[in-house]
């Protein structure tokens, strides 16, 4: 996924940028609910392409980082839901589905909490990467 934005801050090899509202946003079905345009985003600049705040840049999120994010946000909670449900069914076989469902929901919540905590302490390697500096129109 590629996005464009304007840099607002430089901290060594990490830059902060404000995502631009682009022309292709006009055709998007989710433009009213999208929180990306105008938001602040941190990105790596390993090659030192950004020299000053105010430059327009393009950043790219690698497919590996996208897959990892999808796993942490979707995969882990669903796996923990299934494990909690199975544990509830095994621990309370005579109680019906109630305890199993509660443990499943607890596992799902634990997975969401884990994803939140991992994102909060995110590593620099998970950040998007500045791929190029754009010319001003």
């Amino acid at each position: 996924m590629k996005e464009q934005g304007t840099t607002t801050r430089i901290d060594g090899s990490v830059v902060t940028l404000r995502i631009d509202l682009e022309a292709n946003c006009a055709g998007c079905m989710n433009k009213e609910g999208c929180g990306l345009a105008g938001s602040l985003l941190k990105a790596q600049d390993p090659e030192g392409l950004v020299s000053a705040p105010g430059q327009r840049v393009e950043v790219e999120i690698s497919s590996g980082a996208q897959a990892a994010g999808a796993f942490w946000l979707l995969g882990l909670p669903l796996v923990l839901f299934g494990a909690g449900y199975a544990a509830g069914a095994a621990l309370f076989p005579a109680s019906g589905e109630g305890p199993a469902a509660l443990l499943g929901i607890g596992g799902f919540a634990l997975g969401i909490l884990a994803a939140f905590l991992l994102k909060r302490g995110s590593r620099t390697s998970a950040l998007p990467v500045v791929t190029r500096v754009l010319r001003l129109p």
Side-chain angles (χ1 to χ4, degrees), residues 6 72-73 80 94 103 108 121 128:
T6 304
W72 288 113
L73 189 60
L80 291 178
L103 284 177
F108 186 83

Side-chain angles (χ1 to χ4, degrees), residues 79-91 96-108:
V79 166
L80 291 178
F81 172 81
Y85 190 91
L91 292 173
E97 289 190 14
L102 286 175
L103 284 177
I105 291 169
F108 186 83

Side-chain angles (χ1 to χ4, degrees), residues 3-58:
E3 296 293 338
Q4 295 179 359
T6 304
T7 58
T8 60
R9 183 176 176 181
I10 303 170
D11 292 318
S13 65
V14 177
V15 298
T16 303
L17 60 134
R18 184 171 307 280
I19 300 297
D20 296 337
L21 184 66
E22 297 184 35
N24 58 357
C25 292
C28 179
M29 300 295 285
N30 192 34
K31 62 180 168 264
E32 289 83 19
C34 179
L36 187 60
S39 65
L40 294 177
L41 177 76
K42 288 188 177 184
Q44 293 181 67
D45 185 18
E47 297 179 22
L49 298 173
V50 179
S51 58
Q55 288 182 297
R56 290 197 68 239
V57 297
E58 182 177 81

